[in-house]
Amino acid sequence: DIVMTQSPDSLAVSLGERATINCKSSQSVLNSSNNKNYLAWYQQKPGQPPKLLIFWASTREPGVPDRFSGSGSGTDFTLTISSLQAEDVAVYYCQQYYSTSLWTFGQGTKVEIK
Amino acid sequence: QVQLVQSGAEVKKPGASVKVSCKTSGYTFTTYGISWVRQAPGQGLEWMGWISASNGNTKYAQKLQGRVSVTTDTSTTTAYMELRSLRSDDTAVYYCARTTISGVLSHWGQGTLVTVSS
């Protein structure tokens, strides 16, 4: 199984400041045949289902504000919120979809306002 | 617009089975798959399984293999997840999600709380 490990488990950021969440996979999720990283990011607000933010590691889902960006390749990935807004308070999860038999999520990172 | 509407909350006794439905609309059902993900109280997301709505192919998380089944009814564009031999640690919110061929969970249902208690 590909294990996804996020860091930190939680972080508190001032409004308007940058928030950075890391996600590390136990093996590469880069498909060399198409040069795509099989990595997505989701946002989950309290009492709501998760919402897709980013796929292919850096492609923003339509309608997602451009303050959200994804980067990285291979085994190390980052979700950045460039200027934290109050509505961004949530838990964020990374997910690998590289494995043909089992997709896995990171443990989640809780983002709060400092 | 894409919608996935799940059935209501369930309370089950240990050893029983539960079947959760996920009615979809707003897209061509057979163009996507459906994944099932669960979330125990205060915990993270756990992927359970997936079904292709076009050909019925499935894959399941190994830890649930043998206890979980996912099916679809293309005539009603509805997906189902059945979990058998329920235990207390199966208590969770269960989500269905429209899934691209590559494995991205693009749209989610509202969730169904399943409580397992004697």
Side-chain angles (χ1 to χ4, degrees):
Chain A
D1 298 357
I2 300 178
V3 177
M4 309 300 290
T5 304
Q6 294 180 224
S7 61
D9 289 334
S10 65
L11 74 161
V13 177
S14 300
L15 288 172
E17 296 300 304
R18 178 185 302 261
T20 301
I21 300 168
N22 300 301
C23 174
K24 189 174 185 67
S25 57
S26 60
Q27 64 187 75
S28 176
V29 298
L30 173 63
N31 187 328
S32 56
S33 65
N34 59 11
N35 202 37
K36 287 182 180 288
N37 287 284
Y38 285 56
L39 190 285
W41 289 96
Y42 302 85
Q43 174 194 63
Q44 187 178 32
K45 297 181 179 180
Q48 296 185 19
K51 173 189 171 184
L52 175 66
L53 295 177
I54 286 168
F55 54 98
W56 299 131
S58 60
T59 302
R60 203 178 300 116
E61 176 76 346
V64 172
D66 61 6
R67 62 180 180 274
F68 291 93
S69 63
S71 62
S73 184
T75 61
D76 293 281
F77 301 91
T78 300
L79 174 69
T80 301
I81 309 172
S82 60
S83 176
L84 190 75
Q85 305 300 302
E87 61 265 32
D88 301 334
V89 169
V91 179
Y92 294 83
Y93 295 92
C94 60
Q95 176 228 347
Q96 66 79 17
Y97 46 102
Y98 179 85
S99 171
T100 56
S101 62
L102 175 67
W103 298 327
T104 46
F105 293 92
Q107 81 275 18
T109 295
K110 186 175 185 179
V111 174
E112 300 171 308
I113 305 294
K114 185 187 290 183
Chain B
Q1 72 283 21
V2 175
Q3 285 192 305
L4 294 87
V5 179
Q6 299 182 221
S7 48
E10 303 260 15
V11 179
K12 296 291 183 181
K13 293 195 182 301
S17 298
V18 68
K19 192 169 186 177
V20 179
S21 67
C22 173
K23 168 66 177 169
T24 74
S25 61
Y27 71 97
T28 302
F29 185 66
T30 52
T31 304
Y32 294 85
I34 297 287
S35 293
W36 290 87
V37 174
R38 70 180 180 178
Q39 186 170 37
Q43 302 301 307
L45 303 173
E46 178 185 14
W47 179 80
M48 301 176 64
W50 164 89
I51 184 166
S52 165
S54 63
N55 61 20
N57 287 347
T58 56
K59 53 185 176 184
Y60 300 111
Q62 194 166 11
K63 70 172 284 189
L64 295 172
Q65 199 95 24
R67 286 208 300 138
V68 66
S69 298
V70 296
T71 57
T72 58
D73 182 339
T74 55
S75 68
T76 60
T77 66
T78 301
Y80 300 90
M81 185 282 299
E82 181 178 33
L83 188 60
R84 299 175 290 275
S85 301
L86 288 168
R87 311 187 290 244
S88 57
D89 63 356
D90 291 318
T91 294
V93 175
Y94 289 76
Y95 295 102
C96 62
R98 190 186 83 165
T99 306
T100 68
I101 188 67
S102 54
V104 178
L105 284 63
S106 61
H107 295 78
W108 295 63
Q110 83 277 18
T112 296
L113 175 62
V114 175
T115 302
V116 183
S117 174
S118 55

